[in-house]
Amino acid sequence: MMKILTVLGARPQFIKAAAFSRVVQRSSKIEEVIVHTGQHYDQNMSDVFFEEMDIPKPKYMLQTGGKTHGAMTGQQLEKIEEILLIEKPDIVLVYGDTNSTLAGALAAVKLHIPIAHVESGLRSFNRQMPEEINRILTDQISNYLFVPSSGAKDNLLREGVNENKIFVVGDIMYDVALYYKEKMVKPSWFEALNLTKFVLCTIHRAENTDDITKLSNILKGLELSQKDIILPLHPRTVSKIKQYGLMIPSNIRVVDPIGYLEMVWLEVHSEFIVTDSGGVQKEAYFHNKLCVTLREETEWVELVNNGYNVLVGSNSDLIHSSLVNESPNKISIKDIYGNGNTAENIVKVLEMKQ
Ligand code: UDP
């Protein structure tokens, strides 16, 4: 029996784990031990996903959230190493691009434990983003690089990664989008808003929330559009807005962060999606919505190249005009990121290597 130790800690990783862990549970050749670093720890940023998406309970629950990048990554590294010495897994599996991803990979490589990286090969080519550094370093030390597209594979080849280590398996979030669309839930507060049409928006990336000018320009652009906008927002970002002395325009309805099943319902029923999230850009595509992306660049270049995603940064005029004037391209190419069987593809590769 092969033992995989999965390190996760942030919201997008719980969502990816929902697909992978479900498939692993069916495998007779693999057992999985989950370590949760506690990078995200609130009920609505963590627990809700384990409950409603049936993600197996973590065997280890660390408390490394709410710290600076260095302190968080350092503590994670130390504590994950202790666990690896006890568990002695055959493989350490990490998802995406957070501090937990890098810490898990670093702890493993120093103990000569092979690393599997899911959602490997993505690049924004913006090294100011903490996520970009986490991606590049994790990919350099990984042994199984599971990439969502041939473009991601090209990025790795350009960085000198050996082709034998790269597996084009599709995007695991497509598996999740297809599976949970059947189970989506209308938020209990939705009817009370009395909206016939709405735009769904998320804002959480540091480059936007930690910059008063960018944040105020984004709010201005959303206000100018005059569209009814639903904005699930973490209380920390709400308090940042207050701290900066910014007003939330009256066409924006701020709600607490929501569970995935409600998020899917809003994505499916929205007119457009506006976001700086990596995952939400893809979900827009999976659910046939045009995405207006509040960033200067994106890792999901295929969506921009096909006209399914427009990059507007924090430019209020561009945000305004794209919400008012864009007619969403009909999404005709459905398999840019595979066919929704990414978790199976990954498990097959790992089982074969056993
Ligand atoms: N999400 C959610 N509830 C929310 C906001 C986002 O369930 O209130 C989900 C969203 O559908 C996507 C994931 O969280 O699957 C994206 O995570 P996030 O935006 O935090 O990170 P990123 O994808 O940018 O790494």
Side-chain angles (χ1 to χ4, degrees), residues 31-260:
E31 64 167 315
E32 185 185 29
V33 170
I34 297 180
V35 178
H36 186 324
T37 64
Q39 186 171 340
H40 285 164
Y41 48 86
D42 295 343
Q43 159 66 26
N44 58 12
M45 290 296 285
S46 172
D47 299 356
V48 64
F49 301 103
F50 285 84
E51 288 156 16
E52 69 177 15
M53 300 175 91
D54 287 327
I55 305 167
K57 215 172 139 49
K59 181 165 178 189
Y60 297 90
M61 187 71 222
L62 309 179
Q63 288 178 335
T64 64
K67 299 183 174 65
T68 60
H69 281 281
M72 184 191 294
T73 316
Q75 282 196 2
Q76 290 171 348
L77 178 60
E78 185 181 352
K79 292 182 178 172
I80 295 167
E81 181 179 61
E82 284 168 16
I83 297 169
L84 294 182
L85 289 169
I86 299 168
E87 291 288 340
K88 299 187 177 43
D90 299 296
I91 288 186
V92 167
L93 184 136
V94 292
Y95 296 105
D97 54 22
T98 72
N99 293 337
S100 306
T101 314
L102 178 62
L106 266 180
V109 73
K110 287 179 184 266
L111 294 172
H112 308 294
I113 302 170
I115 300 158
H117 184 201
V118 177
E119 209 180 72
S120 164
L122 299 174
R123 296 293 178 265
S124 67
F125 301 101
N126 173 1
R127 290 201 177 196
Q128 296 297 314
M129 291 175 71
E131 294 91 345
E132 184 76 353
I133 303 302
N134 293 338
R135 291 180 193 122
I136 294 169
L137 298 180
T138 303
D139 282 338
Q140 280 299 322
I141 55 178
S142 291
N143 307 74
Y144 302 95
L145 295 98
F146 293 110
V147 301
S149 65
S150 57
K153 178 174 177 175
D154 293 341
N155 288 338
L156 293 174
L157 293 175
R158 228 179 293 117
E159 288 175 15
V161 176
N162 185 326
E163 188 165 6
N164 296 333
K165 295 183 183 174
I166 308 173
F167 304 89
V168 184
V169 289
D171 181 39
I172 198 154
M173 287 186 76
Y174 192 25
D175 302 23
V176 186
L178 291 175
Y179 184 83
Y180 290 95
K181 189 174 173 192
E182 306 299 318
K183 302 173 191 286
M184 66 184 175
V185 172
K186 185 199 284 191
S188 57
W189 41 258
F190 183 78
E191 291 301 335
L193 297 182
N194 216 1
L195 303 176
T196 43
K197 280 208 294 194
F198 68 92
V199 171
L200 176 65
C201 180
T202 74
I203 310 170
H204 78 292
R205 213 154 280 291
E207 69 203 57
N208 287 328
T209 57
D210 294 356
D211 184 324
I212 180 170
T213 315
K214 287 189 175 174
L215 198 53
S216 83
N217 286 344
I218 290 170
L219 293 174
K220 180 95 210 144
L222 296 174
E223 181 178 22
L224 288 171
S225 76
Q226 294 287 303
K227 300 258 182 188
D228 287 308
I229 294 169
I230 297 180
L231 176 61
L233 208 52
H234 194 275
R236 271 199 304 271
T237 317
V238 177
S239 61
K240 268 245 147 85
I241 291 176
K242 290 204 181 113
Q243 176 199 323
Y244 294 151
L246 300 173
M247 293 290 290
I248 305 226
S250 59
N251 62 322
I252 301 182
R253 317 293 214 284
V254 173
V255 296
D256 282 338
I258 46 181
Y260 185 77

Side-chain angles (χ1 to χ4, degrees), residues 27-30 346-354:
S27 166
S28 55
K29 298 185 183 158
I30 301 180
I346 294 172
V347 167
K348 262 186 230 147
V349 171
L350 295 176
E351 283 179 345
M352 260 171 37
K353 296 282 168 182
Q354 197 195 1

